[in-house]
Amino acid sequence: MFRLKKLVIVLEKHPAYVFLGLALIFGFIFIFTLAPLSGTDEVTHFPRVYQITDGTLWERKLPNDQYGGYLPSNINRMINDYRNLSREPTSGQFLANTQKLNKEYGSIHNVGKQKAPAIFTSTVFYPPWAYIPSVIGVLIAKLSHLPLIWYVYLGRICSLLAWIAITAIAIRLMPSGKWLLVTIALLPTSLTQAATISADGLVNGLSWLIIALTLAIIAKQVRLRWSILGVLTFLMVYLSIIKESYWLIALFPFVVPISLFKTRLQSIVWRSVSAICLASAVVW
């Protein structure tokens, strides 16, 4: 009993470690229990990621004013097969066909030589750097010649690990309310977004990190050096060029009072440069 209380006390002092452990456990459960490509818009994000791994960084315009690209036949077939699962009339048929597809694509290693057009217009606004973690995972699967289903699983795993790392840093930086961020990050919606292939996990993690770092600066737990200001500007611009509507969160560091800067000139220079970078990113 004494040891249990001591463990609880230790864990209370280290919310980032608690988050790290629980996020890994539940994140991997989500990765392997959710049907492949069944995450929110994952069936359109995955072909975009695969397109990037083939060296095509931007979507191509297809006939009928649609956007997408040309994917290998087996990759295209896998995407369509898992997409059709959502049309199953009962949960029993959904599960049975999911297991059937998992077994089939768990044994196919060849992506297919012929290419077919695939439409994924909804992801046209996402730049290639929005998918860096997932792209790394799919590239590992391609270079290792793994079964096609592992293209999805490794893309999910790398997305989850990147989100966990960014969020853990944000929790460490938060001057107060650490457990609130832990709770928000461990909500099923947050975990699902992080454990599936999309840009949402990266967007959420970067948003929390920007807010946490700004609050740490205001609480004087982080000193305002040029290196810190450079990191802030990078995070702000990176977030705004992944998902344009998040530029409002990217503006949050501007609430840092002038009194916390070394000099008034430092404040003016940083705010001016950051504002120009953000404006350029949003316009672009």
Side-chain angles (χ1 to χ4, degrees):
M1 190 67 178
F2 174 75
R3 289 182 178 179
L4 181 60
K5 288 183 178 179
K6 190 174 181 180
L7 177 62
V8 171
I9 293 172
V10 171
L11 291 177
E12 285 179 349
K13 294 180 180 179
H14 300 284
Y17 294 138
V18 174
F19 162 77
L20 189 63
L22 293 177
L24 282 170
I25 293 170
F26 290 107
F28 273 86
I29 290 174
F30 277 42
I31 284 172
F32 292 105
T33 55
L34 285 173
L37 306 181
S38 65
T40 305
D41 295 327
E42 191 177 24
V43 76
T44 57
H45 286 295
F46 173 74
R48 178 79 178 96
V49 169
Y50 189 89
Q51 181 186 49
I52 296 169
T53 65
D54 261 358
T56 305
L57 300 183
W58 304 97
E59 290 192 19
R60 299 170 62 179
K61 190 171 183 178
L62 302 174
N64 301 322
D65 291 327
Q66 298 284 357
Y67 284 84
Y70 292 85
L71 302 179
S73 55
N74 285 343
I75 292 291
N76 209 8
R77 185 164 61 88
M78 179 176 73
I79 293 167
N80 291 329
D81 284 345
Y82 278 109
R83 179 190 283 116
N84 290 335
L85 283 176
S86 62
R87 301 186 176 96
E88 296 297 342
T90 65
S91 59
Q93 288 176 304
F94 176 86
L95 291 173
N97 285 332
T98 298
Q99 292 173 357
K100 180 181 176 182
L101 290 177
N102 289 351
K103 185 177 180 179
E104 178 182 355
Y105 290 106
S107 61
I108 298 176
H109 296 256
N110 183 13
V111 299
K113 293 182 179 180
Q114 294 183 340
K115 291 193 174 183
I119 297 172
F120 35 99
T121 303
S122 61
T123 60
V124 69
F125 294 107
Y126 288 96
W129 45 83
Y131 298 107
I132 289 176
S134 297
V135 167
I136 293 172
V138 174
L139 276 174
I140 292 172
K142 288 178 70 174
L143 295 174
S144 303
H145 303 289
L146 296 177
L148 299 190
I149 196 171
W150 278 95
Y151 287 43
V152 179
Y153 287 149
L154 280 176
R156 287 178 169 185
I157 289 171
C158 288
S159 294
L160 175 69
L161 294 179
W163 171 80
I164 287 176
I166 294 171
T167 305
I169 294 172
I171 293 169
R172 291 285 302 268
L173 286 171
M174 283 287 283
S176 60
K178 293 178 185 289
W179 285 106
L180 175 61
L181 181 51
V182 170
T183 303
I184 293 172
L186 291 176
L187 289 173
T189 301
S190 300
L191 280 169
T192 302
Q193 290 178 327
T196 54
I197 296 175
S198 74
D200 293 333
L202 192 58
V203 167
N204 289 340
L206 289 173
S207 299
W208 297 333
L209 182 56
I210 288 171
I211 293 170
L213 181 54
T214 302
L215 293 177
I217 291 170
I218 294 174
K220 298 181 180 180
Q221 293 183 2
V222 175
R223 293 180 60 186
L224 267 183
R225 303 186 298 272
W226 280 113
S227 58
I228 296 298
L229 292 173
V231 169
L232 259 181
T233 302
F234 170 77
L235 294 174
M236 293 158 65
V237 172
Y238 194 20
L239 177 63
S240 63
I241 59 178
I242 291 179
K243 212 163 189 176
E244 57 184 19
S245 58
Y246 277 69
W247 63 270
L248 288 171
I249 292 178
L251 286 174
F252 185 65
F254 284 112
V255 304
V256 175
I258 297 176
S259 59
L260 293 179
F261 289 82
K262 287 185 178 180
T263 63
R264 187 178 183 84
L265 178 61
Q266 185 189 49
S267 171
I268 294 172
V269 170
W270 176 75
R271 291 176 194 274
S272 301
V273 171
S274 297
I276 292 171
C277 290
L278 272 178
S280 300
V282 171
V283 171
W284 175 78

